[in-house]
């Protein structure tokens, strides 16, 4: 967090990592009568041996509409995934850190209230990160959605058939040992015209480490095209729960 562009780091073996963020977005005028969406997202990561990580992601979505239209609120679609960090970057070379993740999204949200897509999604994401000096990193994602769509509530590329290509590019810099700031561009497009809505959004934000294993995050974002929020803000936190008797190493957590 707070970036949508994922980094290659995984949670340390046997450590439980919890993330929460709340994002409030103003929607594009083409989404009328939908005006605003609030997404409270809960995510659990658990570290496994061999640089693997299990992910569980559940949003609670509220959609606010124009006067006279019924509002919507409830659980959205649930994500379950696995991530593998299979290559570390090397100092003094241009070899990037590499990882891959595969997600399945289950249609747990109410379709009639626009809280879920009603589809099962299958999504592969490739991740690369290149350090630019000791404190700056560039991260790139390329994703391919085999089936389903990327929507969360009324935000995201919405398709019935076809595939979706997603991509993100972020640059982050550690200004101090506690404060990290950065920016990103993130988007998606369906492979067949007329099947979905394009998405292109930009985000500026960062994180502040309160103590080892606990960070606060914040961001402002905005975009164009129907699948992106017009403007929004995000706040959240991330915390690690190391097992009893197991000393947590911050450097290996990748968060």
């Amino acid at each position: 967090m707070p970036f949508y562009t994922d980094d290659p780091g995984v949670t340390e073996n046997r450590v439980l990592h919890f993330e929460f963020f709340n994002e409030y977005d103003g929607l594009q005028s083409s989404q009328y009568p939908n005006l605003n969406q609030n997404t409270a997202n809960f995510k659990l990561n658990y570290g496994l041996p061999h640089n693997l990580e299990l992910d569980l992601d559940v949003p609670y979505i509220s959609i606010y509409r124009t006067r006279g239209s019924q509002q919507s609120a409830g659980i959205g679609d649930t994500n379950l995934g696995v991530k593998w960090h299979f290559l570390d970057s090397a100092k003094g070379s241009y070899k990037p850190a590499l990882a891959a993740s595969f997600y399945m999204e289950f249609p747990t949200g109410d379709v009639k209230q626009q809280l879920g897509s009603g589809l099962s999604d299958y999504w592969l994401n490739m991740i690369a990160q290149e350090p630019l000096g000791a404190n700056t990193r560039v991260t790139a994602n390329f994703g391919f959605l085999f089936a389903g769509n990327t929507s969360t509530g009324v935000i995201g590329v919405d398709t019935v058939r076809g595939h979706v290509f997603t991509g993100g590019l972020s640059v982050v810099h550690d200004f101090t040992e506690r404060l990290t700031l950065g920016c990103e561009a993130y988007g998606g497009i369906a492979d067949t015209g007329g099947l979905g809505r394009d998405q292109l959004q930009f985000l500026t934000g960062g994180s502040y480490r309160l103590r080892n294993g606990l960070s606060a995050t914040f961001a402002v974002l905005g975009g164009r095209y129907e699948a992106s929020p017009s403007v929004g803000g995000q706040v959240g936190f991330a915390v690690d729960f190391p097992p009893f008797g197991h000393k947590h190493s911050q450097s290996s957590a990748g968060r």
Side-chain angles (χ1 to χ4, degrees):
M1 293 195 308
F3 304 101
Y4 285 86
T5 304
D6 197 7
D7 67 43
V10 293
T11 303
E12 184 183 355
N13 185 26
R14 298 177 56 225
V15 170
L16 182 67
H17 178 84
F18 174 72
E19 295 179 354
F20 169 81
F21 73 79
N22 192 86
E23 181 175 311
Y24 188 85
D25 297 309
L27 303 177
Q28 303 286 346
S29 58
S30 55
Q31 289 272 26
Y32 185 88
N34 302 319
L35 300 178
N36 302 287
Q37 176 172 305
N38 189 86
T39 305
N41 197 77
F42 305 83
K43 184 174 184 178
L44 283 173
N45 308 119
Y46 186 74
L48 299 174
H50 309 296
N51 292 323
L52 291 168
E53 174 187 87
L54 287 178
D55 300 333
L56 177 66
D57 186 348
V58 181
Y60 186 89
I61 302 169
S62 301
I63 302 172
Y64 305 99
R65 301 185 174 94
T66 187
R67 182 177 298 180
S69 299
Q70 185 177 0
Q71 317 302 311
S72 296
I75 297 295
D77 291 340
T78 300
N79 283 284
L80 181 64
V82 61
K83 183 178 175 182
W84 179 33
H85 177 91
F86 56 86
L87 184 67
D88 290 319
S89 60
K91 292 183 179 179
S93 77
Y94 292 100
K95 185 176 72 173
L98 298 176
S101 59
F102 181 76
Y103 283 91
M104 296 178 292
E105 186 173 75
F106 302 98
T108 54
D110 189 333
V111 178
K112 293 182 179 179
Q113 296 193 66
Q114 295 184 286
L115 301 175
S117 67
L119 304 171
S120 295
D121 306 336
Y122 304 94
W123 192 350
L124 177 66
N125 190 44
M126 303 301 297
I127 305 161
Q129 185 178 86
E130 179 71 26
L132 301 179
N135 300 316
T136 305
R137 299 168 296 283
V138 177
T139 306
N141 287 185
F142 176 76
F144 182 71
L145 194 76
F146 297 94
N149 63 48
T150 70
S151 63
T152 300
V154 296
I155 296 176
V157 179
D158 189 8
T159 70
V160 177
R161 298 181 181 86
H163 308 293
V164 179
F165 299 97
T166 62
L169 183 68
S170 70
V171 180
V172 298
H173 181 79
D174 300 325
F175 284 87
T176 69
E177 290 185 354
R178 293 178 178 268
L179 178 64
T180 298
L181 298 175
C183 57
E184 77 167 358
Y186 187 88
I189 187 170
D191 67 349
T192 304
L195 285 183
R197 304 167 302 173
D198 295 338
Q199 181 181 19
L200 178 62
Q201 64 186 51
F202 302 92
L203 180 148
T204 299
S207 64
Y208 185 81
R209 182 167 58 86
L210 302 172
R211 59 173 175 80
N212 287 342
L214 177 63
S215 298
T217 64
F218 47 90
V220 292
L221 65 152
R224 55 178 304 184
Y225 305 121
E226 186 178 356
S228 304
S230 175
V231 64
Q234 182 193 124
V235 293
F237 67 90
V239 60
D240 289 333
F241 299 97
F244 179 78
H246 178 69
K247 186 176 180 180
H248 172 61
S249 172
Q250 182 192 2
S251 62
S252 62
R255 290 290 189 271

